[in-house]
């Protein structure tokens, strides 16, 4: 797994979060970690095929996801992750992944992405994989974990 694969996702996530959530995220420590089920979390999985293949998983604690969706809805307070909230947070994963695939394409790497798949810990089967992981810290909101399993 190459560490530079995560850079287009990091760059894209920064841009998308600034645009739709109006927060400039800072970057946490890059590391390799086992993907594990954490209660009260939401995962958005986007598959990638082409010259690079694998999955990108965005991990978000549910209270953080609610704050992000509220910001996406213009400040309207969301208190539960209903269908609209799930759709909004999935679309955020889709926007980040789409922009990242454009960045990769501009670097000469041809990839396609799959539609985002939203998973909650209670309905998620364990992914026995290690991922390149980097958290994005959003001031006053929380963290969005970007986990890349690309080969």
């Amino acid at each position: 797994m190459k560490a530079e694969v995560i850079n287009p996702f990091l760059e894209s996530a920064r841009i998308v979060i600034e645009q739709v959530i109006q927060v400039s995220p800072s970057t946490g420590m890059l590391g390799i970690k086992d993907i594990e089920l954490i209660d009260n979390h939401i995962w958005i999985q986007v598959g990638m095929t082409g010259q690079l293949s694998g999955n990108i998983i965005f991990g978000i604690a549910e209270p953080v996801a609610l704050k992000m969706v509220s910001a996406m809805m213009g400040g309207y307070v969301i208190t539960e992750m209903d269908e609209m909230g799930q759709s909004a947070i999935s679309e955020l994963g889709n926007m980040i992944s789409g922009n990242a695939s454009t960045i990769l394409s501009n670097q000469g790497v041809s990839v396609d992405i799959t539609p985002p798949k939203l998973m909650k810990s209670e309905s998620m089967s364990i992914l026995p994989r290690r991922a390149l992981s980097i958290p994005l810290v959003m001031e006053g909101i929380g963290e969005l974990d970007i986990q890349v399993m690309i080969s």
Side-chain angles (χ1 to χ4, degrees):
M1 205 173 336
K2 299 178 200 152
E4 61 268 16
V5 171
I6 206 165
N7 290 334
F9 292 92
L10 204 49
E11 183 182 336
S12 175
R14 275 202 201 106
I15 293 166
V16 171
I17 288 169
E18 283 179 14
Q19 288 173 346
V20 300
I21 300 178
Q22 326 277 272
V23 171
S24 293
S26 59
T27 307
M29 289 292 296
L30 175 66
I32 293 178
K33 69 181 195 183
D34 292 314
I35 292 186
E36 56 187 333
L37 294 177
I38 304 169
D39 283 343
N40 208 19
H41 265 63
I42 292 171
W43 285 267
I44 304 152
Q45 178 181 340
V46 178
M48 183 171 277
T49 58
Q51 286 181 281
L52 297 173
S53 65
N55 290 298
I56 299 90
I57 297 180
F58 302 97
I60 315 162
E62 195 158 334
V64 174
L66 289 169
K67 288 179 189 173
M68 292 172 76
V69 170
S70 293
M72 291 172 77
M73 304 278 187
Y76 179 78
V77 177
I78 308 292
T79 56
E80 65 174 302
M81 195 48 81
D82 59 11
E83 222 172 278
M84 175 142 356
Q86 290 178 18
S87 175
I89 207 74
S90 292
E91 183 54 28
L92 185 75
N94 194 39
M95 291 165 70
I96 292 169
S97 301
N99 280 357
S101 66
T102 300
I103 292 167
L104 285 165
S105 176
N106 291 338
Q107 295 172 352
V109 180
S110 176
V111 294
D112 285 315
I113 60 169
T114 64
K117 186 164 109 183
L118 187 110
M119 301 176 288
K120 288 188 161 191
S121 52
E122 57 272 10
S123 65
M124 190 172 154
S125 60
I126 189 78
L127 295 164
R129 301 283 298 272
R130 291 176 67 87
L132 198 56
S133 179
I134 192 158
L136 278 183
V137 181
M138 297 166 286
E139 185 77 32
I141 294 178
E143 287 187 10
L144 164 72
D145 244 357
I146 302 174
Q147 301 169 2
V148 177
M149 297 170 291
I150 300 285
S151 51

